[in-house]
Amino acid sequence: MELKEIILLKDGEIVLKGLNRSSFEDRLIRNAKQVLNGLGGFKFVKSQSTIVVKPFEGSDVDEAFERLKKLFGVISLTRACVAPKDFDEIAAYTKEYLKDVLPEYDTFKVNAKRSDKKFPMKSPEICAELGGILLDEFPHLTVDVNNPQVTVTVEIRDESAYIHTDATPGAGGIPVGTGGRAALLLSGGIDSPVAGYMMAKRGVELVGVHFESPPYTSERAKLKVIKLAEKLCDYSINVALFVVPFTRMQERIKESCPEELFTVIMRRYMMRVATKLAERQECGALITGESLGQVASQTLQAIKCTDIVSDLPILRPLIGMDKKEIIAIAQKIDTFETSILPYEDCCTVFTPKHPRTRPTLPVIEGAESYLEDAEALINECVENAELMILGAPGRRNNR
């Protein structure tokens, strides 16, 4: 008996999109194809709130399943065996497909979904008959219809029957690219990669903007940020990453502006540079990893002073979260250990001993007026920014 295995992707919020649903599913399939690049060939078929992923011979199904678990737009996924729509065949395929799985459990139940109403047996009959056959084949099992350790599901579809056990939770959200594009200020710390992940989950395509200040920051710090951006590609498919030389700007701010205002003024110029780069990439917003009150530059007063310099909306998905919550997500998406590597970033360069936590706009603008060559420095940052295109697994040779 030759078993043919497929992967079933269950749509999440996509099913609520009404007339736009098809375009969301098309984007989901497009993203899935990019994620599975390098693993062999796969055919994608839309079928009743499910995307059926059919691997060609020789494709790496194990790795494909692991990558698809991180695909936004999928609420759950499962590996399934394809069987002919004949009950005796279904029973035989079920015993063979699950022969190494069912011995791991003590209790089970059978669940049948008969979307093809022409199939001669109704769902309760399928459950009863198949349950009895499995009890005979695996005598250690007992039936528990209320709280089984494993559920054996048979789906009777139009073309074939699918046999599988419990589904694996997917990443949820909506497909990346359906929510527009935004520029993520990626510092290299814990917070900004988490902010990027959360906005990618809402369908936003990410463009990273990182500020470096050599010789105050090292090449290792830059490589750390590239690694973080690559980890985000596991979820966001592709990231266009700008690395902005910021040394001259920071030195001029230090020379010209009061020390206690340095952090807020620096962030205002970061926002100006990021806005210009974002507009070049047709981004509709900026994203930061700020959490209210976490540091001096993240008070309401400081946020007001920084936001006003950009015409783009500033998205702050972490604004109401505490550090423990942010760290939990960073660990979940595997960015935490990279983020805590002890390499300096430009936000820690020239940090004032006593930063002003409640700056006012007139004071900030007055201090900035002493920075006479500001516009030239902004344009210098933009023009000298290094751009690299990073991709999902299998596409990471694009630098």
Side-chain angles (χ1 to χ4, degrees), residues 31-321:
N31 292 348
K33 288 179 178 178
Q34 293 191 58
V35 164
L36 300 184
N37 184 65
L39 299 182
F42 298 85
K43 182 180 179 181
F44 296 83
V45 180
K46 301 179 189 178
S47 177
Q48 300 161 321
S49 301
T50 303
I51 305 295
V52 181
V53 184
K54 300 181 178 181
F56 297 162
E57 185 176 353
S59 298
D60 189 342
V61 179
D62 292 337
E63 178 61 21
F65 191 78
E66 290 302 309
R67 292 186 186 181
L68 290 171
K69 286 197 295 188
K70 299 177 180 180
L71 184 66
F72 288 132
V74 177
I75 194 170
S76 66
L77 64 165
T78 185
R79 295 169 72 156
C81 174
V82 181
K85 291 199 308 184
D86 172 85
F87 180 77
D88 291 337
E89 294 272 27
I90 290 171
Y93 274 74
T94 302
K95 289 189 293 183
E96 179 66 19
Y97 185 55
L98 301 181
K99 66 181 181 182
D100 296 326
V101 175
L102 292 180
E104 300 177 4
Y105 300 97
D106 297 318
T107 63
F108 83 109
K109 77 172 183 179
V110 176
N111 178 40
K113 300 178 180 179
R114 191 174 63 109
S115 58
D116 179 6
K117 303 305 180 184
K118 295 179 181 179
F119 191 76
M121 298 174 66
K122 294 184 179 180
S123 295
E125 295 177 76
I126 298 172
C127 292
E129 291 292 330
L130 185 57
I133 291 171
L134 293 178
L135 285 172
D136 291 338
E137 183 74 14
F138 305 96
H140 73 286
L141 287 174
T142 57
V143 175
D144 184 344
V145 297
N146 295 316
N147 190 30
Q149 292 177 341
V150 63
T151 299
V152 176
T153 298
V154 178
E155 301 186 32
I156 309 296
R157 300 271 184 148
D158 292 337
E159 296 181 356
S160 306
Y162 299 154
I163 303 158
H164 59 85
T165 54
D166 300 312
T168 299
I174 57 178
V176 170
T178 59
R181 182 181 297 171
L184 169 67
L185 276 71
L186 191 59
S187 68
I190 297 171
D191 301 340
S192 53
V194 174
Y197 162 83
M198 293 182 69
M199 294 314 305
K201 189 173 184 177
R202 302 314 307 158
V204 174
E205 184 179 346
L206 301 178
V207 174
V209 180
H210 174 67
F211 294 88
E212 65 171 354
S213 297
Y216 307 105
T217 60
S218 67
E219 182 68 15
R220 290 182 302 177
K222 175 181 175 180
L223 294 175
K224 168 185 171 180
V225 171
I226 294 173
K227 185 175 181 180
L228 287 172
E230 288 181 332
K231 285 183 176 292
L232 284 176
C233 290
D234 289 349
Y235 300 91
S236 63
I237 317 300
N238 298 296
V239 174
L241 176 64
F242 286 98
V243 179
V244 180
F246 206 55
T247 307
R248 275 170 45 82
M249 176 66 80
Q250 287 187 290
E251 289 177 339
R252 291 290 292 116
I253 294 172
K254 183 178 183 295
E255 293 168 1
S256 306
C257 304
E259 181 186 7
E260 69 272 16
L261 301 177
F262 177 84
T263 302
V264 174
I265 292 175
M266 177 192 69
R267 289 194 64 80
R268 280 165 60 89
Y269 281 102
M270 285 181 170
M271 289 289 192
R272 290 178 171 111
V273 173
T275 298
K276 286 182 176 290
L277 292 172
E279 289 171 344
R280 289 189 176 189
Q281 293 290 311
E282 299 181 345
C283 294
L286 301 181
I287 305 168
T288 79
E290 291 165 308
S291 172
L292 187 62
Q294 186 170 209
V295 295
S297 64
Q298 296 176 18
T299 63
L300 284 177
Q301 293 86 350
I303 288 172
K304 177 182 178 180
C305 289
T306 56
D307 280 13
I308 201 168
V309 302
S310 177
D311 294 329
L312 296 175
I314 315 296
L315 307 179
R316 294 182 170 90
L318 313 186
I319 195 68
M321 299 177 67

Side-chain angles (χ1 to χ4, degrees), residues 349-369:
V349 176
F350 309 132
T351 301
K353 294 180 180 180
H354 303 288
R356 187 173 298 188
T357 59
R358 297 183 179 181
T360 62
L361 195 56
V363 170
I364 293 293
E365 290 176 339
E368 281 186 355
S369 66

Side-chain angles (χ1 to χ4, degrees), residues 360-394:
T360 62
L361 195 56
V363 170
I364 293 293
E365 290 176 339
E368 281 186 355
S369 66
Y370 293 99
L371 195 61
E372 296 178 353
D373 51 352
E375 194 61 34
L377 289 170
I378 291 171
N379 291 332
E380 181 181 302
C381 288
V382 172
E383 296 305 321
N384 292 327
E386 176 188 359
L387 174 63
M388 56 190 76
I389 307 299
L390 308 175

